[in-house]
Amino acid sequence: MNNMAPRTNGETYFFRDHGQFDLLRLHVLPALIDRRRTAKTLRLWSAGCASGEEAYSLAMLVDHLLPQRDDWDIVILGSDIDAAALQKARRGHYRQWSFRMAPPTLQQRYFQRHGDEWVLDEHIRRMVSFRLGDLIGDPVPGGELRDMDLILCRNVFIYFNAGTVATVAGKLAAALNENGYLMTGHTELIGHRLPNMQSRLFAEGVVQQRTISAVPSVPLSAVPSPAPVRNAPPPAVATQLPGRPAPSIPSAEDLLATAREFADRGEYQDAEQACGEALAIAPLAPGPHFLLAQLAQLRGEFGLAGELLDKTLYLDPRSVAATLELAALCERAENLPRAQTLRRAALDIVRALPGDTPVEPYETTAAEMARWLAQ
Ligand SMILES: C[S@@+](CC[C@H](N)C(=O)[O-])C[C@H]1O[C@@H](n2cnc3c(N)ncnc32)[C@H](O)[C@@H]1O
């Protein structure tokens, strides 16, 4: 490993980016825990963890989702190139500024106040181990940096050039288990196509998932953003076969389903085009507006995403997903009063539903969602 000084700043805080942490809490970690119920192992890595807030946020989520875990073997690793940041991480003492986006209940549950510092509970601190490492120079996969179920590498790539992003992203992909997840910052992998990795799009954001086949050991190279052509026929539209009647014109629902499939495959421009076609048929449909908002977020166009979410809510004022997405955007913009108002509105919506009502597109019920939002 190079003995280099850090080349980036170490800004970080607990539960940085609510949308992404909601995605981890509601989808990714429950799916991993389910998958590992027999093996009872879980391997999570915060790569470029700075002073540890991200790795400990993961530990708190695991603590919440898996309170009975004595017979599990759980590895949560934080790594960084900055030795001083890691020293702070290992200590587990934080100033109030590290909690600027954290739910206050979590701060109270997991920290003790000592003067102007907050000291992390010992049982969470001991769930995480930290190691010095250079994502560029070190062999990855290698040593304990392998067979990961989930890697968070957020706000690290932004400091690398395109070639280095491709190389490091390829190394991280190779360090994942089959079906393991890689989460980066929203726009950090735009323009890079990772072989053997598939984008999974949720209401709260996007995560990359490693597909079954092996990841090649050669470094990946950056490729330009997807060209504005369709690479595959839209799956929801019937293909005309000889001797069969001509396919019917696709409905707005078909086009939205097609748009989602394009988005799931990382073909964002095609997804946008299909949304546009859906809106040409049904201009007042909230679904395409919502998907366009998600796509705008992926490009880092948060102002546009906010406008599209406002439109979605105008068209469907009881959309829990649009309300929560907009709350996450307001948090990002540090408009905390509006974020709080929106989260309360989402809570009111789910509380008014019978407890076992599924809340789309989350894989959860109204009762479960209300419990989360009330925390
Ligand atoms: C802005 S912080 C991100 C912290 C956290 N991931 C988050 O999103 O809140 C970027 C971190 O990446 C680390 N870093 C930069 N280059 C690195 C490298 N080559 N290997 C490992 N860590 C690196 C920096 O030391 C810094 O702590």
Side-chain angles (χ1 to χ4, degrees), residues 6-12 16 48 50 54 80-82 133-136 154-156 159-160:
R7 285 157 289 182
T8 66
N9 82 58
E11 192 199 2
T12 184
R16 180 178 195 172
E54 183 179 83
D80 203 281
I81 199 171
D82 182 346
D134 174 8
L135 291 167
I136 302 170
R154 304 182 312 148
N155 307 300
V156 178
Y159 303 101
F160 298 166

Side-chain angles (χ1 to χ4, degrees), residues 85-343:
L86 290 177
Q87 207 174 354
K88 184 174 175 213
R90 289 191 184 100
R91 204 164 159 253
H93 289 210
Y94 294 94
R95 303 256 168 179
Q96 182 59 35
W97 187 232
S98 283
F99 299 93
R100 53 197 180 274
M101 290 292 172
T105 43
L106 279 171
Q107 187 176 0
Q108 277 140 27
R109 187 183 313 165
Y110 290 116
F111 293 82
Q112 300 286 325
R113 189 171 195 152
H114 288 213
D116 58 0
E117 283 191 326
W118 292 83
V119 179
L120 179 62
D121 275 4
E122 198 52 20
H123 81 282
I124 298 292
R125 201 173 68 82
R126 276 197 265 108
M127 286 174 74
V128 183
S129 56
F130 292 97
R131 76 191 299 280
L132 195 61
D134 174 8
L135 291 167
I136 302 170
D138 289 352
V140 177
E144 55 187 337
L145 305 177
R146 56 168 172 81
D147 301 328
M148 292 293 166
D149 295 307
L150 167 67
I151 301 175
L152 298 194
C153 186
R154 304 182 312 148
N155 307 300
V156 178
F157 289 123
I158 42 177
Y159 303 101
F160 298 166
N161 66 35
T164 308
V165 171
T167 306
V168 173
K171 289 164 80 170
L172 295 179
L176 284 171
N177 280 324
E178 285 175 10
N179 294 317
Y181 296 96
L182 169 65
M183 182 180 272
T184 66
H186 286 281
T187 53
E188 287 177 295
L189 288 185
I190 284 197
H192 297 269
R193 206 184 284 280
L194 300 182
N196 303 303
M197 297 291 285
Q198 197 168 20
S199 303
R200 301 273 177 218
L201 191 70
F202 295 87
E204 302 84 357
V206 75
V207 65
Q208 307 287 324
Q209 186 171 29
R210 185 171 158 183
T211 50
I212 311 259
S213 44
V215 173
S217 54
V218 287
L220 307 168
S221 50
V223 297
S225 300
V229 288
R230 298 199 169 190
N231 312 331
V237 183
T239 311
Q240 189 172 5
L241 296 173
R244 298 258 174 98
S248 54
I249 294 169
S251 66
E253 289 78 26
D254 289 338
L255 287 162
L256 179 57
T258 301
R260 288 206 180 103
E261 294 196 28
F262 276 130
D264 281 343
R265 294 207 298 266
E267 293 164 20
Y268 302 129
Q269 293 195 5
D270 290 336
E272 279 208 328
Q273 194 177 325
C275 279
E277 288 165 17
L279 287 174
I281 298 172
L284 300 183
H289 285 99
F290 183 68
L291 183 52
L292 285 171
Q294 290 176 281
L295 295 168
Q297 282 200 64
L298 289 179
R299 293 192 305 272
E301 292 178 26
F302 298 111
L304 175 62
E307 284 168 26
L308 286 161
L309 287 170
D310 275 329
K311 260 188 209 161
T312 310
L313 280 177
Y314 176 76
L315 298 167
D316 178 10
R318 308 203 65 72
S319 164
V320 177
T323 309
L324 290 178
E325 265 307 271
L326 199 52
L329 273 186
C330 291
E331 269 160 10
R332 168 184 285 275
E334 311 219 341
N335 183 351
L336 298 187
R338 184 161 187 227
Q340 267 173 1
T341 306
L342 285 161
R343 283 182 173 264

